Amino acid sequence: TVPNYTTAGLKLTPEVVEATNEVCGGVAMTYHAFKGLDWFVKHYCDLRVKLPKIQLNVHLIFDQDVCANLRALISRKPDIGPLNLVLLAYYPDVGRASHKGLPSKAVYHREFPAALREAQEAGYQVAFSEGLMPYFISRPELGVNTDFAMRSEGRFACYFDAKGRISNSS
C-alpha cells in the first residue's frame, strides 16, 4: 500500500517533506475559494517545488460554486499548469457545509457539463469520488464510462477518472 494524504500545504516540516517524497504516491490540496485564488496558486506552486516526485491532485468540491471555481482554476493555468482534479461530492451535513451549498438544477444540467469540457480542453485530468457516481451514470453524454459500477460502490473511498478507471482515494 502506498500512502497518500490531503493537506493545506502549510506547516510541512522538512521531515514530512522528506518522508512524503520517499514513500508517498500522491498528495492532494483542496481548493477553497474563500481563501482566494492567489492564496491557492502560491501554496500549490510551493507544494510542486517541495514534492517534485509526487502526483499532486487538487480536490474540488462539487457544490453550487463548482463551475466558477473550476473556471477560476482554468484561468490560472499559465501559473499552475495543467491540474489533476478530483471532484468530491458535496455533503450538506458534513463540516461547514449546508443545504444552501447544494448545486442547482442549472449547474447539474447545463453549467457543469460546459465547465467540464473547458477543463478537459485545457488539458486538466478530471476524476471524481464515488459520491458523484449517480450523476455520471445519469449523464452518459459526458462520455464517462460507468459500466463497472456495482452495488458495492460507496462502501469504500475511491475515485474514478473520466475514462472510468478506478483508483485508491487520494
Side-chain angles (χ1 to χ4, degrees), residues 85-88 125-134 136-137 144-150 152-170:
L85 294 172
V86 180
L87 297 169
L88 302 177
Q125 298 296 314
V126 181
F128 57 92
S129 69
E130 78 282 352
L132 291 170
M133 182 61 76
F136 287 102
I137 287 174
V144 176
N145 181 357
T146 57
D147 291 341
F148 57 88
M150 56 192 125
S152 63
E153 300 306 330
R155 293 185 184 164
F156 55 95
C158 61
Y159 65 90
F160 305 92
D161 69 14
K163 294 182 179 169
R165 295 175 297 209
I166 188 171
S167 300
N168 293 333
S169 177
S170 63

Side-chain angles (χ1 to χ4, degrees), residues 76-122:
R76 295 301 294 269
K77 184 180 175 188
D79 302 316
I80 56 180
L83 299 177
N84 296 315
L85 294 172
V86 180
L87 297 169
L88 302 177
Y90 180 79
Y91 296 105
D93 56 348
V94 176
R96 294 183 291 256
S98 73
H99 282 87
K100 293 178 184 178
L102 287 170
S104 67
K105 287 182 181 179
V107 168
Y108 276 111
H109 297 297
R110 290 187 309 276
E111 297 168 21
F112 179 72
L116 177 62
R117 279 191 297 279
E118 291 171 33
Q120 291 168 330
E121 289 168 2

Side-chain angles (χ1 to χ4, degrees), residues 18-152:
E18 181 181 350
T20 300
N21 280 312
E22 187 176 316
V23 301
C24 288
V27 171
M29 182 176 173
T30 304
Y31 175 72
H32 294 290
F34 70 86
K35 292 182 180 179
L37 188 55
D38 290 335
W39 185 96
F40 174 83
V41 169
K42 177 191 180 315
H43 291 91
Y44 177 84
C45 290
D46 287 349
L47 273 180
R48 286 188 88 131
V49 170
K50 291 177 182 175
L51 306 172
K53 302 174 187 178
I54 304 302
Q55 178 174 322
L56 190 54
N57 299 320
V58 175
H59 286 172
L60 185 61
I61 307 208
F62 196 107
D63 62 6
Q64 68 180 0
D65 299 319
V66 66
C67 298
N69 293 336
L70 186 51
R71 288 184 173 117
L73 291 170
I74 293 167
S75 77
R76 295 301 294 269
K77 184 180 175 188
D79 302 316
I80 56 180
L83 299 177
N84 296 315
L85 294 172
V86 180
L87 297 169
L88 302 177
Y90 180 79
Y91 296 105
D93 56 348
V94 176
R96 294 183 291 256
S98 73
H99 282 87
K100 293 178 184 178
L102 287 170
S104 67
K105 287 182 181 179
V107 168
Y108 276 111
H109 297 297
R110 290 187 309 276
E111 297 168 21
F112 179 72
L116 177 62
R117 279 191 297 279
E118 291 171 33
Q120 291 168 330
E121 289 168 2
Y124 285 30
Q125 298 296 314
V126 181
F128 57 92
S129 69
E130 78 282 352
L132 291 170
M133 182 61 76
Y135 176 77
F136 287 102
I137 287 174
S138 71
R139 300 299 305 263
E141 72 276 12
L142 297 178
V144 176
N145 181 357
T146 57
D147 291 341
F148 57 88
M150 56 192 125
R151 295 184 72 199
S152 63

Side-chain angles (χ1 to χ4, degrees), residues 2-18:
V2 177
N4 301 292
Y5 64 89
T6 302
T7 181
L10 302 173
K11 301 179 183 179
L12 291 179
T13 65
E15 294 82 13
V16 170
V17 169
E18 181 181 350

